Amino acid sequence: MSDLKTLVLSRGVLMFPRKVLDRIFAFIETGTFLAETGDIRNPGEEVTRHGIAHGVFKNFESRTIALKYLILLDALAYVLLHDNLLMGTL
């Protein structure tokens, strides 16, 4: 993840506010996203890589966790769109 962050933030122009990009990367790096499944205190409220990659969801029906997953995926899509726009590959 640090390679993606370095790449995106190294661009001469940022299409999105730096604070927004910093928050996206901070959540991925220090939030529950990369946490081990056993370390998650409330799987119905905390977004994890394991849940996304392997479909391991508990109490996924909650509005809170659904919104968190949508925001995370949307944020990652913005990061990838940003890089593709700047590289001219879109």
Side-chain angles (χ1 to χ4, degrees):
M1 186 53 61
S2 65
D3 290 344
L4 178 61
K5 178 182 178 179
T6 301
L7 176 71
V8 169
L9 298 179
S10 73
R11 303 294 187 208
V13 175
L14 294 178
M15 304 282 296
F16 304 100
R18 171 70 189 250
K19 287 183 179 183
V20 171
L21 295 172
D22 285 340
R23 294 210 45 171
I24 292 167
F25 287 117
F27 172 75
I28 293 170
E29 293 171 340
T30 62
T32 58
F33 184 71
L34 296 177
E36 295 292 327
T37 302
D39 295 335
I40 299 300
R41 287 173 269 134
N42 188 351
E45 300 293 324
E46 297 174 309
V47 177
T48 65
R49 174 205 58 81
H50 196 254
I52 293 172
H54 303 291
V56 179
F57 301 109
K58 294 181 182 178
N59 301 319
F60 184 67
E61 297 80 15
S62 77
R63 289 181 179 180
T64 302
I65 194 73
L67 182 58
K68 287 180 181 181
Y69 275 103
L70 288 173
I71 291 169
L72 174 62
L73 294 175
D74 193 47
L76 289 174
Y78 271 116
V79 169
L80 296 175
L81 174 65
H82 170 269
D83 199 57
N84 284 318
L85 285 171
L86 292 177
M87 293 301 297
T89 58
L90 191 66

